Amino acid sequence: MTLNLPSPAQVKPLFFSSNNSTKLPGSSSLKRKDSDTTVERRVYCSAAAQSPPPAWPGTAIPEPSDFKTWDGQKPISVLGSTGSIGTQTLSIVAEFPERFKVVSLAAGSNITLLADQIKTFKPEVVGLRNESLIDELKEALADVDHKPEIIPGEQGVIEAARHPDATTVVTGIVGCAGLKPTVAAIEAGKDIALANKETMIAGAPFVLPLAHKHNIKFFPLIRTFCNFSVYPGVAKGCT
């Protein structure tokens, strides 16, 4: 299943009115104790013009019959590789090495775990956000034959996100620090396996039109996005 992103022009606003429109659930009535008068409080809603496309708001639709499946190892980038989402993602990669290949990693400051991940998955590029630890990471990899390109700071995370060989980027960085690399990945045409909440909470008005422009897909990884049915392209329900 993938998620279809409509263009901004396809998203129709909702207007509240008091005329003959569809009654929303939750209308209430109030009655004063000292009076026979009942005051009803009703909420009405009507949609403008045509109905929204079937994939909005936030409804998953089946893949088209001509959708390309990946043969062999699918190249992925993992941002926040030493965090919860990152380590779980890499556990799946380790379980299915014939299906996935890690081409880049990005992490913050857990050098011991990051060095182990580099030795195991042999990425081509590694972004290290805490640039003061770059010498420590190089020392931890001194006896490794396969040495990746290590890029320090925020730019390193961005370069990992837009690695030219990656088809999908797992965004597991916590907080607003994950927004800029996610945008960089979208601009590079990468599909996004989304676990960074700020991408939608803070960046949706910018990110979703950008995703539509570059024709990329979102794959929500956390249940938080089950509640984001107001945003096109994000699943309304999770299984």
Side-chain angles (χ1 to χ4, degrees):
M1 302 284 284
T2 58
L3 302 168
N4 188 28
L5 293 173
S7 68
Q10 290 177 291
V11 180
K12 301 299 180 181
L14 296 178
F15 299 96
F16 288 93
S17 64
S18 58
N19 55 15
N20 295 328
S21 302
T22 304
K23 179 183 175 183
L24 292 178
S27 297
S28 60
S29 62
L30 302 174
K31 185 174 182 179
R32 294 171 58 106
K33 289 184 178 180
D34 57 348
S35 172
D36 292 332
T37 303
T38 299
V39 179
E40 291 194 359
R41 181 181 180 86
R42 297 176 182 268
V43 180
Y44 297 94
C45 178
S46 61
Q50 65 192 49
S51 300
W56 191 90
T59 304
I61 62 172
E63 293 283 11
S65 58
D66 60 347
F67 182 76
K68 180 184 181 299
T69 56
W70 198 265
D71 296 325
Q73 292 178 305
K74 185 173 186 176
I76 65 171
S77 297
V78 182
L79 310 183
S81 66
T82 59
S84 175
I85 294 295
T87 53
Q88 291 178 67
T89 299
L90 293 176
S91 293
I92 295 172
V93 173
E95 188 173 354
F96 300 99
E98 74 284 358
R99 297 182 61 180
F100 301 101
K101 177 185 178 182
V102 177
V103 295
S104 63
L105 296 173
S109 58
N110 190 336
I111 298 301
T112 301
L113 180 53
L114 178 58
D116 288 342
Q117 292 174 344
I118 293 171
K119 294 173 185 178
T120 301
F121 298 101
K122 299 178 173 58
E124 298 169 6
V125 172
V126 172
L128 182 61
R129 189 171 188 86
N130 189 338
E131 50 192 296
S132 66
L133 298 175
I134 191 167
D135 289 336
E136 184 178 340
L137 178 58
K138 289 180 178 179
E139 183 178 348
L141 299 174
D143 59 347
V144 176
D145 293 333
H146 173 84
K147 289 184 173 60
E149 179 184 5
I150 302 173
I151 306 174
E154 182 181 60
Q155 189 60 35
V157 181
I158 290 173
E159 293 303 325
R162 60 188 184 194
H163 189 289
D165 293 340
T167 61
T168 301
V169 178
V170 178
T171 60
I173 297 175
V174 176
C176 288
L179 182 55
K180 190 179 289 187
T182 302
V183 169
I186 293 172
E187 290 177 333
K190 315 299 183 184
D191 290 336
I192 305 297
L194 187 63
N196 176 265
K197 292 180 288 187
E198 279 68 24
T199 297
M200 291 300 163
I201 294 173
F206 171 75
V207 167
L208 292 176
L210 186 68
H212 182 269
K213 174 183 176 181
H214 292 279
N215 195 31
I216 66 96
K217 301 178 184 68
F218 281 114
F219 300 96
L221 296 185
I222 56 177
R223 294 193 63 85
T224 301
F225 295 120
C226 300
N227 300 321
F228 278 80
S229 60
V230 294
Y231 293 126
V234 180
K236 184 177 182 180
C238 295
T239 57

